[in-house]
Amino acid sequence: MGVSTGLAAVATPATEPETWVAAQVCGALEAVFEAVAATRADTAALLHRVAAEGRRPVSRDLAALRPGLHLRLRHEELVSGVGFVAAPGLLADVPAWLEWWQAGAEGDVRPLLLDLDPRRSAYSDYTHWDWFALPRDTGRRAVAGPYVDYLCSDEYSLTLSEPVRTEGRFAGVAAADVYLRHFEAAVLPLLRCLSRPAHLVNARGRVAASADPAHLAGSLTKGPDFGELLTTARPGAYDGLRLVPCRGVPLVLVLA
């Protein structure tokens, strides 16, 4: 199929179990990406209105996003946090900003309050993290992690994100967090129904969930170019592995 790094095309009838499982995984995360897309649309519209006023946005402008963010937290079962993360230099009053809200243990909705002053904060430069860098660099949605989310929750999490653009330039990312334990509860029964050991990886090869003891969540699966496989959106094979992209969601189902 013209994919580099040794990937080879394989025929995959629609009735094959792995194709069905990949589609179910896509369905499990699509509702989260719908929340991300709604945040992206709200943010882009807000930034467009501010630009039409002939000024740069400031952090207080982003308060207009809060009703939508609160609604998504209350109604999307897998979403534990959601918001907009500004690109450095976007806002006129602060160098960096997260308009980020989280679901509390009692079902309440609360803001994430961070010190982002680069003179004091270890979190002031978030641009190197995958959830920010992948959408910025590729222009596409991304799944980052799992990783321990020291920034927001101290939970093992996935972050789903999309780029936000305004006036033709990158303005930041819209994103949502999903606790890994909740994602695993949704997808591990699907992986375990397959006849071969299976796990899910993101574009970097990071294992997002696994029913294969040889590939633990958070580890790396090396070899294939998973990013290229996701771009082609066609099943493939590499060194004895069967690779099935989850169409519409940047994850690949890997079968040993």
Side-chain angles (χ1 to χ4, degrees):
M1 65 184 191
V3 179
S4 63
T5 68
L7 289 171
V10 292
T12 309
T15 54
E16 288 193 355
E18 54 263 39
T19 303
W20 179 82
V21 167
Q24 297 304 302
V25 170
C26 179
L29 284 185
E30 193 56 52
V32 180
F33 269 120
E34 287 175 3
V36 173
T39 301
R40 175 184 52 76
D42 285 355
T43 306
L46 170 64
L47 296 175
H48 179 75
R49 290 195 299 271
V50 170
E53 297 171 5
R55 63 180 181 89
R56 288 176 62 195
V58 293
S59 55
R60 67 176 177 270
D61 289 321
L62 300 180
L65 300 175
R66 293 173 187 175
L69 299 178
H70 296 179
L71 183 67
R72 284 156 217 146
L73 273 174
R74 291 190 176 104
H75 289 278
E76 298 300 338
E77 185 177 358
L78 283 178
V79 174
S80 60
V82 65
F84 169 67
V85 184
L90 175 73
L91 302 177
D93 59 331
V94 289
W97 189 264
L98 286 84
E99 185 61 42
W100 195 265
W101 291 75
Q102 299 171 281
E106 304 302 320
D108 55 317
V109 174
R110 59 193 183 196
L112 175 66
L113 302 175
L114 287 176
D115 179 4
L116 294 176
D117 188 323
R119 297 168 296 180
R120 299 188 301 265
S121 175
Y123 303 119
S124 61
D125 182 13
Y126 41 70
T127 62
H128 61 285
W129 291 344
D130 277 357
W131 50 262
F132 190 92
L134 279 170
R136 178 196 63 200
D137 296 345
T138 67
R140 298 191 297 270
R141 54 170 55 177
V143 175
Y147 61 98
V148 179
D149 188 1
Y150 294 114
L151 183 66
C152 296
S153 65
D154 291 332
E155 284 259 7
Y156 216 32
S157 301
L158 300 171
T159 300
L160 285 61
S161 54
E162 292 185 1
V164 177
R165 299 188 65 82
T166 183
E167 308 303 311
R169 66 187 182 93
F170 175 73
V173 300
D177 284 341
V178 175
Y179 291 150
L180 182 65
R181 53 190 166 90
H182 294 161
F183 179 62
E184 287 181 325
V187 302
L188 282 180
L190 298 168
L191 300 182
R192 289 172 178 150
C193 79
L194 295 167
S195 61
R196 298 164 63 178
H199 61 284
L200 293 162
V201 302
N202 66 13
R204 301 257 200 232
R206 183 76 60 188
V207 178
S210 178
D212 182 349
H215 297 276
L216 301 180
S219 65
L220 283 172
T221 298
K222 298 180 180 179
D225 186 337
F226 293 109
E228 188 170 352
L229 184 77
L230 287 167
T231 299
T232 64
R234 296 176 59 191
Y238 179 91
D239 195 24
L241 300 175
R242 183 169 175 78
L243 311 172
V244 182
C246 301
R247 293 181 182 274
V249 168
L251 290 175
V252 177
L253 175 63
V254 182
L255 299 102

